Amino acid sequence: MPKGYAIHDTKDWTNFKVEDFDLKPAEDDDITLSITHCGVCGSDVHTISGGWGKLAVPYVIPGHEIIGTVTEVGKNVKDVKVGDRVGVGAQVSSCMNCVPCWNDNENYCRGDGKKGVLDTYNSKYADGSIAQGGYSTQIRAHQQFVFPIPDAISSENAASMLCAGITSYSPLLRNGCGPGKRVGIVGIGGLGHKLRFHSPQYGVLFAAAMGAEVIAISHSPSKREDALKMGAKEFISTKETPNWAKKLAQNPLDLIVSTASSSAVDLPAMLSTLNVHGKLVFVGMPEDSFKDMRVQAFAGNGCFFGSSHIGSRKEVLSMLKLAADKEIKPWIEVLPMSRCSEAVKRVSDNDVKYRFVLKQDLE
Amino acid sequence: MPKGYAIHDTKDWTNFKVEDFDLKPAEDDDITLSITHCGVCGSDVHTISGGWGKLAVPYVIPGHEIIGTVTEVGKNVKDVKVGDRVGVGAQVSSCMNCVPCWNDNENYCRGDGKKGVLDTYNSKYADGSIAQGGYSTQIRAHQQFVFPIPDAISSENAASMLCAGITSYSPLLRNGCGPGKRVGIVGIGGLGHKLRFHSPQYGVLFAAAMGAEVIAISHSPSKREDALKMGAKEFISTKETPNWAKKLAQNPLDLIVSTASSSAVDLPAMLSTLNVHGKLVFVGMPEDSFKDMRVQAFAGNGCFFGSSHIGSRKEVLSMLKLAADKEIKPWIEVLPMSRCSEAVKRVSDNDVKYRFVLKQDLE
C-alpha cells in the first residue's frame, strides 16, 4: 500500500508521521509511479504550516517535484511505458475542456464546472479521492501531467525542475527571453531572509541557457559568486549599490522575473529599470499587498506587471530538452526522505543552496 | 505677439487672465501655428489646480489638444507648408537621440542628458524658453510633434483626438485590439464622479472601429445608451450587476483599457475578467496607490497590469487616418475660448458630454 510522510496539523508542521493512503482509482489515461525522488518546494512549507490557509484534507503528504518509475499505465497512455523514468510537477489534472486547455495552457485551465486545475497535494479529485504528494512511495496522475525524463538528466537533478524550474522557465519563454535580451532575475537572496517561494537559481540558469544577458538582482551581496557561476553576467546588490535602479535604467532590462516572496520589494524602482513595454513577472507570492502600486510608475516606459502559474506540458518537455542539451545542473542538496522534517525547517529559514531533493527511503 | 488665457496661482485656478508670452526661438525644424481650436483635457485641470504639484513656470497657459494653421516653417520642415491645417498634442519635444526615439517610441523618450520628453505646457526647453499651451493664439514646436490633419476631419473634431484620442488609441493598437478580440473599456462614468483624466469615449470609438467587440464597463448605468451608440456591443454597470466579474470571466476579455482615475477600482475583480495573459492598461492616473494589489490576483490567468503614455507620431498619423476613413466623430461641446474658466470647472465636475473644445476668440 502507498505510504508517505504526512502532516496532520499546521501548528505542528515539522512533525511528519508515516501514513498509508489510497491512490485515486486508476483510469484509462492514468500513469502510476513508484517514487524515487522528490524536491522540497517553498509551497510545501506554506501549505503544511498553514500560511496559505487550513488543510483541505485530513492529513497532507506534501511534495510536487516528483521523479519515479512507471509501474502501471492505463490503456490510453501514449509516450510512456512500465519501467520508464518520469516526473510529476505541481498539477495533476485539468478539465481538458476549456479554451486554455485546448491551447497548451492547461496550467491556466478555467474549469468546465466539473474539473479544473488540481494541485498535486492537499486537494481532492471530483470523485472525492484525495491527492497526496511526493514525500511518499507512489503517485498516480493523468498522462498529460506525467513527463518522460531525458536520460541525460539524473533523477536528483530533474526533480526540482518540475516546479521551481518550470515556474521560472515558462515566463522566460513566454516573454521573449533569448539572445539580445537583458533579463533581470530578482531574489537571489541569502540566509536570514523570509521563506522564498521559489529558488531564483533556475531563472539565472535558464535565462542564460536561452541566450539572454542575465542580471541577478539581490538585496544582499552574499550570493554574488554563486549567481555569476550560474551564468549571470552582472550581479547587483541593491543594498550596496546606491541608485541601483537609475544605473540599470541606463541600459534597461527587457524582462524581470522575480522570485522574491516579499511585498517589500521597491516596485517603482524595479519597474523603472525596464525597457519600453518591458515586463516584471512575479513568480514569488507575497502573502500581503504591495504598499506602493501607483499607475504613475508604469507610464514613463509603458511597462507591465504580472504573474505566472507553473507551465504547460509542452513547456515542461521543452525545458527538459533544453536542460539535457545544455547540461543544466541545478544546485541541490540531497537528503534521505526520512529527513523531510529537517528539510522543510531549513527551507523555511532559507538555509539551503539552493534546493533540497529527498531520496526515497520508505519500503 | 502671442497671447493666451493664463493661470498664475493654483489656488485660483478658474481665474484666467489674458497674458502675452514669447514663443520659443525658431529653429530649422520648427513649425509655428496660428491656433484655431484647443480641447480641454483633465490634465489641464490637474495642472492648474495643483493636483500634480506646484506650477513649474510663473504662469501657465494650459491646453494640449491644439489645432491651427501653419504660419511659419523652418528650413528642415517636410510634409507641412504655410497655410496647412495641423495639430499639436501633449508633447512638443524629445531628445531624438535614444533607443526609444529611434524606434517610433519618442513618447517614451529616455532623454540624452540634454533633452527629453517635454510637455506642451508648464515646462521649459533646455534654453530656458517657457512652453505654453493652446488656450492661446500661437504655438511653435518641432515638426516631429506637429501633425497634418486630414481634410475629412473638422478642426473641432480633430482637437481632442490629439491627447484623449491617442491616449486610448496607442494602447489598443499596441496590445492587439482588432477583429476577434474582446476589449473592455472602463470608466464610462457619469455625473458626480471625480474628475476623469481622459474621456473613455475614444476607447469605445476606436476599439469598435478597429474591429474588436467592445464591452463598456461603468459603475453607474447612466451612460449605457451613449456607450452603445458609440459602438459598444455590451454595457455593464458594475453597480447594477451582481457578480459582474464572474459573468465576464465566462467569456473573458483580451484587453481592458481603463480611463478611471480612481484607485478605488476593484483591481482583482477587473483582472479576473481577462483571458490568459490578457492586459489591463490604465490610462487614467489616480493620485494615490491601489489598496489591494496582490500577486495572487495575477497568477490564475497570467495577466498583466500596465500603463501607457500618449502615443508616437506614427500612431497619431495612423489614428487620424482611421478617424478620417471610418468617419469617427467624437462627442464634444464647443465653447468660445474666452469661456475656458467655465470649461475647466465643468471638466472638474465631470459635467461634459464628453469633451470641450475651445474655439479661438482672441485677436
Side-chain angles (χ1 to χ4, degrees):
Chain A
M1 189 166 196
K3 52 186 152 181
Y5 296 94
I7 292 295
H8 292 70
D9 181 352
T10 56
K11 295 198 186 74
D12 196 18
W13 61 272
T14 59
N15 184 15
F16 286 91
K17 291 177 186 154
V18 175
E19 292 283 355
D20 292 336
F21 66 98
D22 292 315
L23 297 175
K24 75 180 284 297
E27 294 176 87
D28 291 344
D29 282 284
D30 283 347
I31 298 173
T32 311
L33 280 66
S34 171
I35 295 172
T36 60
H37 298 79
C38 185
V40 177
C41 181
S43 37
D44 299 351
V45 179
H46 279 293
T47 303
I48 61 179
S49 67
W52 285 346
K54 292 181 187 172
L55 300 185
V57 296
Y59 58 86
V60 163
I61 300 171
H64 58 206
E65 299 181 333
I66 302 165
I67 303 289
T69 308
V70 176
T71 57
E72 192 186 334
V73 295
K75 67 179 183 187
N76 292 345
V77 169
K78 303 167 296 187
D79 303 338
V80 157
K81 60 183 189 307
V82 171
D84 284 358
R85 198 164 55 110
V86 296
V88 173
Q91 181 178 5
V92 286
S93 185
S94 73
C95 80
M96 314 253 173
N97 200 24
C98 69
V99 176
C101 280
W102 296 329
N103 289 283
D104 289 315
N105 275 322
E106 70 276 11
N107 50 320
Y108 296 110
C109 167
R110 285 206 287 267
D112 63 357
K114 294 174 200 159
K115 294 181 178 180
V117 169
L118 196 77
D119 294 336
T120 296
Y121 61 81
N122 194 35
S123 58
K124 284 183 188 170
Y125 282 92
D127 69 358
S129 306
I130 293 173
Q132 298 285 16
Y135 297 8
S136 70
T137 55
Q138 292 181 60
I139 191 167
R140 178 175 290 151
H142 188 288
Q143 61 176 334
Q144 175 79 15
F145 303 96
V146 180
F147 316 110
I149 304 297
D151 291 342
I153 312 177
S154 74
S155 295
E156 291 173 355
N157 285 339
S160 62
M161 291 184 188
L162 299 177
C163 175
I166 189 62
T167 297
S168 291
Y169 180 74
S170 174
L172 291 170
L173 189 68
R174 294 186 185 212
N175 295 294
C177 177
K181 296 295 174 71
R182 278 169 65 80
V183 175
I185 305 292
V186 174
I188 306 301
L191 284 176
H193 283 72
K194 206 177 156 190
L195 166 69
R196 282 195 312 267
F197 189 66
H198 288 292
S199 159
Q201 68 164 321
Y202 279 114
V204 178
L205 290 167
F206 285 132
M210 292 160 93
E213 226 173 77
V214 179
I215 295 85
I217 303 168
S218 181
H219 181 67
S220 129
S222 65
K223 296 292 187 297
R224 177 186 304 273
E225 207 179 322
D226 288 355
L228 296 176
K229 276 187 200 159
M230 288 172 189
K233 195 190 161 191
E234 299 172 41
F235 177 95
I236 292 169
S237 157
T238 58
K239 190 170 87 179
E240 300 207 331
T241 315
N243 296 320
W244 62 272
K246 278 190 184 163
K247 284 176 187 168
L248 262 180
Q250 288 168 9
N251 189 6
L253 305 173
D254 298 288
L255 173 65
I256 301 173
V257 172
S258 171
T259 62
S261 74
S262 164
S263 62
V265 164
D266 185 345
L267 209 55
M270 206 62 83
L271 293 169
S272 74
T273 69
L274 285 167
N275 233 321
V276 175
H277 304 319
K279 288 175 183 163
L280 168 57
V281 182
F282 251 69
V283 296
M285 292 279 151
E287 290 175 4
D288 48 355
S289 298
F290 288 105
K291 301 288 170 292
D292 189 18
M293 168 74 182
R294 299 178 74 224
V295 179
Q296 283 76 354
F298 294 80
N301 52 6
C303 65
F304 290 97
F305 174 95
S307 184
S308 180
H309 181 237
I310 49 176
S312 68
R313 174 182 183 84
K314 198 173 175 181
E315 289 170 313
V316 171
L317 299 181
S318 97
M319 170 190 72
L320 292 171
K321 183 172 188 313
L322 181 75
D325 291 350
K326 301 264 183 180
E327 298 180 3
I328 294 170
K329 290 185 177 54
W331 296 26
I332 55 169
E333 297 184 39
V334 181
L335 290 177
M337 202 174 277
S338 52
R339 286 171 64 187
C340 56
S341 176
E342 177 188 341
V344 294
K345 264 183 279 189
R346 286 181 54 197
V347 167
S348 176
D349 294 339
N350 205 4
D351 175 20
V352 53
K353 280 190 169 186
Y354 285 89
R355 205 83 182 172
F356 285 116
V357 176
L358 304 173
K359 197 173 169 184
Q360 188 62 266
D361 61 359
L362 283 167
E363 290 299 307
Chain B
M1 188 166 198
K3 53 185 153 183
Y5 295 94
I7 293 295
H8 292 70
D9 182 352
T10 55
K11 294 197 188 74
D12 196 18
W13 60 273
T14 59
N15 184 15
F16 286 92
K17 290 176 189 158
V18 175
E19 291 282 355
D20 292 337
F21 67 98
D22 291 317
L23 297 176
K24 74 179 284 296
E27 294 176 87
D28 291 344
D29 281 285
D30 285 345
I31 297 172
T32 312
L33 281 65
S34 171
I35 295 171
T36 59
H37 297 79
C38 185
V40 177
C41 182
S43 37
D44 299 351
V45 179
H46 279 294
T47 303
I48 60 179
S49 66
W52 286 346
K54 291 181 188 173
L55 300 185
V57 296
Y59 59 85
V60 163
I61 299 171
H64 58 206
E65 300 181 332
I66 301 167
I67 302 291
T69 308
V70 176
T71 57
E72 193 186 333
V73 295
K75 67 179 183 188
N76 292 344
V77 170
K78 303 167 295 185
D79 304 338
V80 157
K81 59 183 191 308
V82 170
D84 284 358
R85 197 164 55 112
V86 297
V88 173
Q91 182 179 6
V92 288
S93 186
S94 74
C95 80
M96 313 252 172
N97 200 24
C98 68
V99 176
C101 279
W102 296 330
N103 288 283
D104 290 316
N105 276 321
E106 70 275 11
N107 50 320
Y108 297 110
C109 167
R110 285 206 286 268
D112 64 356
K114 293 174 200 158
K115 293 181 178 179
V117 169
L118 196 76
D119 294 335
T120 297
Y121 62 80
N122 195 34
S123 59
K124 284 181 188 172
Y125 282 92
D127 69 359
S129 306
I130 293 173
Q132 299 285 15
Y135 298 9
S136 71
T137 55
Q138 291 182 61
I139 190 166
R140 177 176 288 152
H142 189 287
Q143 61 176 333
Q144 176 80 15
F145 303 96
V146 180
F147 316 110
I149 305 298
D151 292 342
I153 312 178
S154 73
S155 295
E156 292 172 355
N157 285 340
S160 63
M161 291 185 188
L162 299 175
C163 176
I166 190 63
T167 296
S168 292
Y169 180 74
S170 175
L172 290 170
L173 189 68
R174 293 185 184 213
N175 294 295
C177 177
K181 296 295 174 71
R182 279 170 64 79
V183 174
I185 304 293
V186 174
I188 306 299
L191 284 176
H193 282 73
K194 207 177 156 190
L195 166 68
R196 283 196 311 270
F197 189 66
H198 287 292
S199 159
Q201 65 163 323
Y202 279 115
V204 178
L205 290 167
F206 285 133
M210 292 161 91
E213 225 173 76
V214 179
I215 295 83
I217 303 168
S218 181
H219 181 66
S220 128
S222 65
K223 294 294 188 294
R224 177 186 303 271
E225 206 179 323
D226 288 356
L228 296 176
K229 276 187 200 158
M230 287 172 188
K233 194 191 163 192
E234 299 172 40
F235 178 94
I236 292 169
S237 157
T238 58
K239 192 171 86 180
E240 300 207 330
T241 315
N243 296 318
W244 61 272
K246 278 190 183 162
K247 283 176 188 170
L248 262 180
Q250 288 170 8
N251 189 7
L253 304 174
D254 298 288
L255 173 64
I256 301 173
V257 172
S258 171
T259 62
S261 75
S262 165
S263 62
V265 165
D266 184 345
L267 210 55
M270 206 63 82
L271 294 167
S272 74
T273 68
L274 285 166
N275 234 322
V276 175
H277 303 320
K279 288 176 182 161
L280 168 58
V281 182
F282 250 70
V283 297
M285 292 280 151
E287 289 175 5
D288 48 354
S289 298
F290 288 104
K291 302 288 169 291
D292 188 19
M293 168 76 182
R294 300 178 74 223
V295 179
Q296 283 75 353
F298 293 80
N301 52 6
C303 65
F304 290 97
F305 174 96
S307 184
S308 180
H309 181 237
I310 48 177
S312 68
R313 175 182 182 82
K314 199 173 173 180
E315 290 170 312
V316 172
L317 299 182
S318 95
M319 169 190 72
L320 292 172
K321 183 170 187 313
L322 181 74
D325 291 350
K326 302 261 184 182
E327 300 180 1
I328 294 170
K329 290 185 178 56
W331 296 25
I332 55 169
E333 297 184 37
V334 181
L335 290 177
M337 203 175 276
S338 52
R339 287 170 64 184
C340 55
S341 175
E342 176 188 340
V344 295
K345 263 183 279 187
R346 285 182 53 197
V347 167
S348 177
D349 294 340
N350 203 6
D351 174 21
V352 53
K353 281 192 171 185
Y354 283 89
R355 206 82 182 171
F356 285 115
V357 176
L358 304 173
K359 197 171 170 187
Q360 188 61 265
D361 61 359
L362 283 167
E363 291 299 307

